[in-house]
Amino acid sequence: MSLEAATMAPEWCLDPQPWFSCLDCGVGLYWVDLAHGELLICANAQCVGAGIEVPVWRAQQHREALGLDRPVSDAGWPRPVLEGRPVPYVTPVTAGHPWWRLTHGPRLLHCQNDWCCQVCGQGLEASGWVVVDPRGMVQTDAAMHERCLRLATAACPHLLAVAAQRAAQVRRADIHGDGRPLRDSGALTREQWTVPRLGAA
Ligand SMILES: [Zn+2]
Ligand SMILES: [Zn+2]
């Protein structure tokens, strides 16, 4: 975790134990040493889940299942606004705090498999928009509606200012996942998206 991220994080992020509990034993979770603010772990040696790393979105799902929090960033339009910015569908939210740097795994997978928008979660038309770098690598590995791209770039102008990234309109057939043409659906894990025709190589 960078110093900037550490200083921007709310104080309770420093100690996740009262906020996130183990899915198996219910004891409070700790951050994984090298993945602070990203992965949690149960330190109860008696627990069947001890030592298994849990991503924030999964621990947050558990919070919601326990009724300790309510889902905030479900699919829909307009987007909810938290901390002065619109919250994308794929961003996990805990106690009103969006985890801006993190991605909700199953939601991103849903966007990839079912050609849905990563910002609003709703279905895309035949074409959608992606932000690509000069090598044709798709940022966040999912597409957007044009209105949602405008919303995202207005909220985060750095999106298109960093490393010569640019927005491009693509069809699903233009995209490769992990280097192969996309299958219709059914991938089990998140794939790295590229647009070969937009890459320099
Ligand atoms: Zn446990
Ligand atoms: Zn959208």
Side-chain angles (χ1 to χ4, degrees):
M1 182 184 228
S2 70
L3 181 62
E4 183 194 14
T7 51
M8 278 163 45
E11 225 170 278
W12 58 262
C13 282
L14 298 176
D15 178 14
Q17 276 188 287
W19 297 83
F20 297 111
S21 59
C22 176
L23 282 61
D24 292 305
C25 71
V27 168
L29 297 173
Y30 293 85
W31 291 120
V32 171
D33 272 352
L34 296 176
H36 212 266
E38 202 167 328
L39 294 173
L40 296 145
I41 200 162
C42 174
N44 171 11
Q46 315 302 319
C47 175
V48 294
I52 297 173
E53 297 178 349
V54 180
V56 165
W57 66 260
R58 184 72 188 90
Q60 174 60 26
Q61 250 183 1
H62 187 52
R63 265 175 69 78
E64 290 167 8
L66 294 174
L68 300 173
D69 214 337
R70 63 188 180 84
V72 176
S73 57
D74 283 346
W77 185 268
R79 300 306 302 156
V81 174
L82 293 171
E83 299 179 359
R85 285 161 59 185
V87 184
Y89 171 65
V90 296
T91 302
V93 178
T94 297
H97 164 67
W99 298 86
W100 297 113
R101 295 164 50 252
L102 303 185
T103 304
H104 190 294
R107 288 190 177 191
L108 188 79
L109 192 60
H110 165 62
C111 291
Q112 290 197 332
N113 278 335
D114 301 319
W115 195 235
C116 290
C117 171
Q118 60 171 294
V119 174
C120 73
Q122 296 171 336
L124 291 161
E125 306 294 324
S127 67
W129 289 80
V130 290
V131 174
V132 292
D133 74 6
R135 292 176 300 157
M137 307 270 290
V138 175
Q139 305 306 298
T140 319
D141 303 308
M144 291 169 267
H145 295 103
E146 189 175 7
R147 68 165 185 206
C148 296
L149 171 73
R150 279 200 299 267
L151 182 76
T153 52
C156 312
H158 68 270
L159 205 62
L160 297 179
V162 171
Q165 288 177 180
R166 64 193 173 99
Q169 192 172 18
V170 296
R171 302 174 77 86
R172 194 169 165 84
D174 296 327
I175 297 168
H176 282 194
D178 289 345
R180 299 180 308 269
L182 283 188
R183 283 160 289 184
D184 283 344
S185 71
L188 297 177
T189 55
R190 172 179 180 168
E191 295 183 321
Q192 174 119 60
W193 276 17
T194 52
V195 183
R197 70 171 167 85
L198 297 177

